[in-house]
Structures are given as structure tokens and as C-alpha cells.
Amino acid sequence: MDNSSNFLYKDVVRHDDNILYMAYYFPQFHISPENKLHREQPIHYTDWNIIKEHNHSFTPLDYYDLTDPSVIDAQDKYANENRVGAFIFYHYWLDNSMVLNHPVELFMQKKRKTKFMLCWDNESGYLGNQYYDQPEKHAYQLLRYFKNENYLTDINGKKPFTIYLTDNMNTTYLVRLCKFLELHNVSIKIGHNYFTKNTILPDWSEMAVEFAPHDIGGPRRSNLSQYNIKPNDVFSSWKTGKEYWQGAITAWDSRARSNSSRTHQAKCDPNKPNGVVSVDAFKSQLKTIKENIHPLNKDKIITLFAWNEWSEGATLEISKEFNDEFIKCL
């Protein structure tokens, strides 16, 4: 039965059976001030360097530059043609400033067929340190995204905004961030990335957003076709009205990232993938999810890892090895 009239997110492209696909978007394919091989040396790089230097399962047709507006236009068009409704841009707020924000800025410059939202990757790392001491400044910089016409918005005018890691999240920080946004008539809906059945469901979160399937041993190293549907009792304490978005992973071969010097991942065998790279496994995974939409996933949302995580072997874009086979699984 078509229950689209009950959906919270209406002004967005959906796929068959009203499935709303949203793909994680990695913005690191351009030179930025923070993208340096060594903090003390001004030698810049992009993740394309990692792909070129290490073995991998996916090779792009073109090593594009995300400062080129025509690239953003083409991605918007290709996503829409394949009925991907929204991009989930990773958002970085490191050393109390925006990092790798140029691609999403370009995406906002014109009306798009594809919506977008932000996932705050709040992990300290090679690009800078994560601090929780200037929420008003953070909120001020976020305003332009939430006020953009392309930002995914529910029927109540709320903007979804997810947080990658919850362990160090300061509730006071979120309260102050929201209050400043409200001064500008912006209301956000804060969610969190849900990794395993043991992931804590924070009181402040309104959405548990599944980050790929989670099986024992790690979601990316297990058989991707064996999607583990979460039992309802996992969310027995989840309050009425909160949302659960299910998630799928296209593939996983992080040899390029793992064997580079720009990651916390352990090195792996450079001659074979350290995960599953299979069109059939991805297709099977999606079929299982669509046949088992969780009761709390009323908008039938499936988040996809990923649109363009080339250095981790997870992409919906066209590759030399697989052409468009992965995106045609949708």
C-alpha cells in the first residue's frame, strides 16, 4: 500500500516502493589548507593520491576536482537519474572552523534535483582537533546550510542533522547550538549514527541512523549479503515519534586508505581486498532491507555508504571495473 501521504519528507525524489535513498558524500577530493601530508610541511594532497599509490578495487573514470562546479552539476544529475534522493555530506568542524566545506558550498549555489543534509564527523584526526567550546560560532557557520533551499526538510520545517560519534558529545553544547539556531528561526532534528546493537541511544537524539549493516566482526569485513535486521526490543526505550533510518553498504576494500599514512586503520594485505566487493551481495542486502522495513522507519529511508568513498572501496559512481553496476542495484 502506498503510504506516501504519511511521509515526513515529501519534496524529495524516491525510488521504487517509495524508498528514499540517501548516499554519504565524501568531500576530500580537492586540495584544502588542512589536507597536508605532514602538519609541519606544506605538502598538500587529496584522496586521489592514495588511490593512485595503493591497490584498490574501484578506479574512477576521472580523477575529478570538487572545486569544479561542473563536477557537482554532473553528480547531482547522475544521482537524480538513478533516483538517489539526497546526499549526506560529511561536515567537519575542526579547530573551531569549517574544513573541507567547498563542495557543499558549490552544491548550494543553485537549485538542485537532489537534496542534501549534513552528518557531523566529530572525530579528531589528521585534519584537526575536535573541540566543544564554541557552539554559537559553530551554529552561526551552519546557518547558511540549514537555510538553503536544497537542504532536506520535513513537513514540520525541521532539518535533520546527524552526529557520527556520540561518546564525547556534550549535551550542553547541543542545547546552546540549537538555541542560537532558533534565534534565526532554524529548527534542527539531531540524530546519531547507529553502528551496532550495543550502540547507546542518546536521550538527545531524535533519529538513529544506521551506518551500514552491523554483524559481529565488523560490518565491512563480514558477508555483506547477511544483513542483520534489528530486533524491535533494541528500541524498546526509544520514545514515540523518534525515527530509525536503515542503512546499506555498497562494498568494502580499504586497502588504499589502510596502507596509506593518512588513517588510523591497520594495514592490510595489499594484494587482496580486506572486505567484500560484490554487486550480488549489495543487491541481496538491499532486497533484505526492503523486505524488512523496520516499524520505526516510517519514511522507508535507506542510507548508503557511500556515494564516493573511493579510497575505502565504497562507491555508487561509475568505475572502470564495475561501470554502473552498483547504482543499478537500487
Side-chain angles (χ1 to χ4, degrees):
M1 179 180 295
D2 183 352
N3 64 344
S4 59
S5 61
N6 297 321
F7 288 156
L8 283 170
Y9 306 96
K10 292 185 178 296
D11 185 23
V12 61
V13 171
R14 292 178 179 267
H15 211 290
D16 297 337
D17 302 323
N18 285 315
I19 295 292
L20 172 52
Y21 287 113
M22 297 196 283
Y24 284 93
Y25 189 106
F26 188 59
Q28 201 159 354
F29 300 110
H30 69 285
I31 294 173
S32 72
E34 298 81 12
N35 260 354
K36 294 189 292 186
L37 290 177
H38 304 284
R39 288 188 179 182
E40 66 277 7
Q41 298 177 359
I43 302 174
H44 294 86
Y45 88 113
T46 78
D47 257 42
W48 291 137
N49 297 92
I50 290 176
I51 289 288
K52 293 174 183 178
E53 294 167 6
H54 300 277
N55 291 340
H56 48 79
S57 290
F58 294 91
T59 307
L61 298 181
D62 175 40
Y63 293 96
Y64 53 71
D65 180 354
L66 289 181
T67 63
D68 182 349
S70 68
V71 172
I72 304 296
D73 292 346
Q75 290 177 329
D76 174 36
K77 181 175 182 292
Y78 188 61
N80 180 257
E81 288 172 347
N82 289 279
R83 296 162 77 186
V84 174
F87 289 135
I88 305 175
F89 281 89
Y90 291 114
H91 160 67
Y92 304 90
W93 178 253
L94 297 167
D95 299 327
N96 285 324
S97 63
M98 293 287 189
V99 177
L100 297 176
N101 56 306
H102 198 83
V104 70
E105 303 280 351
L106 286 177
F107 193 83
M108 296 193 304
Q109 287 184 359
K110 63 176 69 172
K111 185 173 179 60
R112 300 291 180 181
K113 297 179 175 65
T114 312
K115 295 294 184 180
F116 83 96
M117 59 169 285
L118 299 178
C119 170
W120 178 14
D121 185 344
N122 59 326
E123 186 173 23
S124 294
Y126 294 95
L127 298 173
N129 295 312
Q130 184 68 66
Y131 300 113
Y132 300 98
D133 57 355
Q134 295 191 38
E136 288 80 14
K137 180 181 178 182
H138 190 184
Y140 181 72
Q141 295 298 329
L142 284 169
L143 268 177
R144 61 183 181 271
Y145 304 116
F146 295 137
K147 283 181 171 288
N148 186 264
E149 64 179 337
N150 299 308
Y151 202 97
L152 184 69
T153 306
D154 72 14
I155 57 175
N156 299 310
K158 301 191 74 171
K159 320 280 185 171
F161 177 67
T162 60
I163 299 174
Y164 187 68
L165 298 177
T166 62
D167 293 348
N168 299 320
M169 181 47 59
N170 186 319
T171 304
T172 301
Y173 185 95
L174 295 178
V175 170
R176 288 172 57 184
L177 183 140
C178 289
K179 283 186 176 180
F180 187 88
L181 291 172
E182 288 167 1
L183 293 175
H184 293 269
N185 299 313
V186 171
S187 178
I188 62 174
K189 183 192 303 182
I190 301 178
H192 73 287
N193 283 70
Y194 179 77
F195 295 95
T196 72
K197 64 181 181 181
N198 296 319
T199 298
I200 295 173
L201 303 176
D203 290 338
W204 49 258
S205 177
E206 296 183 66
M207 305 175 299
V209 179
E210 188 176 49
F211 197 69
H214 329 295
D215 296 324
I216 295 175
R220 303 170 180 116
R221 294 168 179 80
S222 56
N223 185 346
L224 299 185
S225 63
Q226 301 301 310
Y227 179 80
N228 180 25
I229 299 298
K230 305 299 177 300
N232 291 345
D233 58 5
V234 171
F235 294 98
S236 60
S237 62
W238 207 231
K239 296 178 182 178
T240 302
K242 294 195 175 186
E243 302 172 38
Y244 174 44
W245 300 358
Q246 288 164 276
I249 182 170
T250 54
W252 179 260
D253 175 12
S254 70
R255 282 176 293 172
R257 183 76 58 78
S258 296
N259 295 319
S260 74
S261 61
R262 300 290 294 177
T263 181
H264 298 297
Q265 295 181 27
K267 290 187 176 182
C268 61
D269 188 337
N271 298 313
K272 59 183 180 181
N274 62 339
V276 178
V277 182
S278 168
V279 174
D280 289 339
F282 179 49
K283 186 182 299 182
S284 174
Q285 184 190 149
L286 289 175
K287 181 176 183 293
T288 302
I289 296 173
K290 288 193 284 187
E291 291 175 351
N292 295 273
I293 295 295
H294 194 281
L296 291 177
N297 190 6
K298 295 180 180 179
D299 258 69
K300 303 179 77 171
I301 292 171
I302 300 179
T303 63
L304 302 170
F305 181 90
W307 179 259
N308 61 343
E309 288 268 8
W310 291 93
S311 52
E312 293 196 349
T315 180
L316 288 168
E317 293 188 298
I318 296 173
S319 68
K320 290 183 179 179
E321 292 81 4
F322 294 93
N323 195 15
D324 62 353
E325 291 183 61
F326 277 89
I327 203 166
K328 292 304 180 186
C329 292
L330 304 184

